[in-house]
Amino acid sequence: MPFTPTDSDAAFRGVIAIELRDGGLPERAALPAAAAGEVAALLGRDLAQLAPDVAGCDLALMAAHFDPAEALRPGWPLHRRVLELLQRAPGQAQGPRIVGFGADAQGEVPAPLQCDPMLAGGGLRLLPFVLRGASLEPAAAQLELMLFDTGMAKPDTALALQEGLGARIEHVRYLSLHDLLAMMAMQYANVGLDGLWSLLETALLAPADECLLDAPPEPLVRYGDGEVRIAMLDPAAWRRRNAPDEVDGDALERGFARFQKRQRQYAAVFEVHGVPVQFVHCADGEAACLR
């Protein structure tokens, strides 16, 4: 499915992806203000070396780290916040700007830069950034072509991030939002969640569309009207749908328990991606009940 932004602001949306070493979490949720400006400038330098047209764009970095699920939510809320902060920043009539938004003078993290505390762990953390301006179109095209394969951060950029966040960092690379989507699609496929990803991809990239997962033994799920509906089946409906020839009662009980666990897993994944979930009783096990 092609990537198209879901709002009217023309911008390139990217992330600094930080792979943490040995599962250790950063000591700080955001870079101090001065370090945020320094890292934003280093980011601008690194990107301009890959795509010279970046130099003609405004660049804004939200110098706080987030879970990938927070970056992949309908409407791209993290990047929308960065755009809003950029639009309020001074100097709009003074040519291309590079701005980093970090913790305040007291070291506190302002609300727009706070991550979801339930998603504070994980070995991959993201700092969102945006580009916009007169040379946006060629800059975005160049970055989309090059970042995934050649977007490793320079050593001084990685060191500034490591020192500013108080983190043990293994790798730092730059990704477009499209690259991040592709990477997460592969990760979901690797853990057997291909069907779930097709629904989530629709919610992210074509939120006005519909998508149905009707592939036993997976849960019966429909995305539409901005929400996910998951069919709740009683044991008899589940058996008709998933195990019509099974006669072992213990096997049926275990299978139904696994199915319910799978439903809960689906719901949890959609919820961390900001997609509302509704469970719908479905007596006959048919997809029509989800409309």
Side-chain angles (χ1 to χ4, degrees):
M1 184 178 296
F3 170 69
T4 53
T6 57
D7 60 58
S8 59
D9 288 308
F12 175 84
R13 294 161 172 79
V15 296
I16 303 176
I18 299 175
E19 183 181 343
L20 299 172
R21 185 179 303 167
D22 301 327
L25 297 179
E27 296 175 2
R28 289 176 282 281
L31 293 170
E38 176 189 351
V39 169
L42 292 170
L43 169 64
R45 179 205 63 190
D46 292 353
L47 295 179
Q49 289 179 2
L50 294 171
D53 286 300
V54 166
C57 295
D58 284 340
L59 184 155
L61 169 69
M62 187 184 290
H65 56 88
F66 299 86
D67 186 87
E70 296 179 87
L72 298 179
R73 290 177 172 173
W76 321 115
L78 283 188
H79 289 87
R80 189 171 62 245
R81 290 177 207 162
V82 187
L83 279 170
E84 290 168 354
L85 291 168
L86 176 61
Q87 289 164 354
R88 293 200 294 267
Q92 296 190 35
Q94 299 174 9
R97 298 167 292 164
I98 295 180
V99 188
F101 301 100
D104 63 23
Q106 288 73 44
E108 298 294 325
V109 179
L113 278 67
Q114 291 178 3
C115 72
D116 185 335
M118 299 298 292
L119 299 174
L124 182 67
R125 305 298 289 173
L126 307 179
L127 283 69
F129 68 85
V130 299
L131 294 167
R132 64 180 306 173
S135 60
L136 173 63
E137 186 172 345
Q142 292 161 8
L143 292 175
E144 288 288 5
L145 184 65
M146 301 184 69
L147 280 187
F148 194 81
D149 293 324
T150 61
M152 294 299 293
K154 301 296 184 184
D156 55 346
T157 310
L159 181 60
L161 283 163
Q162 180 165 279
E163 293 179 346
L165 293 174
R168 290 171 54 83
I169 291 175
E170 191 71 35
H171 299 292
V172 179
R173 63 179 302 175
Y174 307 130
L175 299 170
S176 71
L177 203 54
H178 187 262
D179 295 334
L180 180 62
L181 283 161
M183 186 178 74
M184 295 303 294
M186 289 188 288
Q187 290 188 9
Y188 278 116
N190 288 339
V191 295
L193 291 173
D194 311 60
L196 182 150
W197 178 259
S198 66
L199 293 155
L200 181 57
E201 185 181 54
T202 302
L204 293 172
L205 300 181
D209 290 355
E210 297 183 7
C211 183
L212 176 68
L213 178 62
D214 187 359
E218 292 297 319
L220 177 60
V221 188
R222 173 184 175 270
Y223 170 80
D225 304 315
E227 69 175 12
V228 161
R229 294 186 174 190
I230 301 176
M232 293 182 63
L233 308 180
D234 61 26
W238 171 82
R239 182 180 182 182
R240 287 195 303 272
R241 180 178 171 83
N242 296 282
D245 300 323
E246 181 61 69
V247 295
D248 185 312
D250 289 339
L252 287 168
E253 185 175 345
R254 290 193 299 271
F256 186 58
R258 286 194 298 269
F259 174 76
Q260 291 179 307
K261 182 178 180 180
R262 188 68 158 176
Q263 288 182 308
R264 293 192 294 271
Q265 181 186 26
Y266 269 51
V269 172
F270 287 123
E271 286 169 353
V272 299
H273 282 279
V275 182
V277 174
Q278 181 181 168
F279 284 91
V280 178
H281 182 67
C282 191
D284 60 5
E286 298 297 328
C289 70
L290 297 178
R291 292 195 169 274

